[in-house]
Amino acid sequence: MTRPRPTLLAGCLALSVACAAPVHAQAPAATPQPPAATNPLPTTTNPDPKNPAIPDIPVPAQAGAAPSATPPAAPRQTLVATPGDANDVDEVSLPAKPAAILAGRAKWEEAVPSLKAAFQRIEADLAKAGIQPVGRPIAVFAKTDDDGFQYDAMIPIAAMPDPKPAESDGLRFGTTPSGRALRFPHKGSYDEIDGTYETLTAYLDAKDVVVQDKFIEEYVTDLNDKADEKLDVNIYALPK
């Protein structure tokens, strides 16, 4: 087993007063009545804050108006919904999920930039095709040696396209690895992931567990920099 790393105002109201009476006997003036407004304010008129004589007129909401804010996208899900114990190994069952896949090879010192570029390429192609990604990025390490490794970068999607597209410039569609697996959590920089693999190997040896010659890394947090101390990774080993 080889360990990988992995937003008018218009109109004014007029008043008229009629005054007519003899000089020696002035009749009381009739109460003036305001004429009907010949240019009523439209219901969409807003009040003029500089003229308090004009009453406030409500502005009704327009029916069918689009919401001002776009709802946030749903968070990406991990392969197993229940989080693992940071200090323990747990046995889980991985479901086979449809995914966009891009194969690649990298040297160990170029692992993070290579994987990051692969995930960005997959995301861009999915956006162009109008396909919704739903899962966290995954790297499956297949063949490894002292110089580097071969990998399949995967991003789970909501559903397999129908018809299934042919492979295009290395990008293909398939499913994520599935079945019984041992999950080993890694919290810390990618530079320190070797220590987690050492713990993993020691555990397998102590339990006499034989696993497939491949490992799966699932990035619970974004893989941005190898020195990111807040990196959270699920490492899966698949027993034979």
Side-chain angles (χ1 to χ4, degrees), residues 222-237:
D222 293 340
L223 184 63
N224 291 321
D225 186 276
K226 65 180 182 179
D228 180 8
E229 294 291 342
K230 296 182 179 180
L231 182 65
D232 188 355
V233 185
N234 287 325
I235 301 174
Y236 299 98

Side-chain angles (χ1 to χ4, degrees), residues 20-58:
V23 175
H24 59 278
Q26 183 175 3
T31 302
Q33 297 295 328
T38 57
N39 184 21
L41 296 173
T43 57
T44 56
T45 300
N46 287 317
D48 186 350
K50 298 179 180 180
N51 191 347
I54 301 177
D56 291 346
I57 300 178

Side-chain angles (χ1 to χ4, degrees), residues 32-144:
Q33 297 295 328
T38 57
N39 184 21
L41 296 173
T43 57
T44 56
T45 300
N46 287 317
D48 186 350
K50 298 179 180 180
N51 191 347
I54 301 177
D56 291 346
I57 300 178
V59 181
Q62 296 181 359
S68 57
T70 302
R76 305 278 184 96
Q77 300 298 314
T78 55
L79 291 173
V80 178
T82 305
D85 187 335
N87 301 311
D88 201 2
V89 179
D90 55 346
E91 185 172 335
V92 297
S93 180
L94 299 180
K97 295 188 175 184
I101 307 170
L102 184 65
R105 179 175 177 82
K107 294 184 177 181
W108 290 115
E109 60 269 22
E110 299 171 352
V112 171
S114 182
L115 289 169
K116 182 179 178 181
F119 294 139
Q120 289 174 337
R121 157 76 192 282
I122 296 174
E123 293 275 1
D125 285 1
L126 290 178
K128 290 178 183 178
I131 299 174
Q132 179 67 44
V134 297
R136 298 301 307 173
I138 297 167
V140 179
F141 298 84
K143 296 181 180 180
T144 65

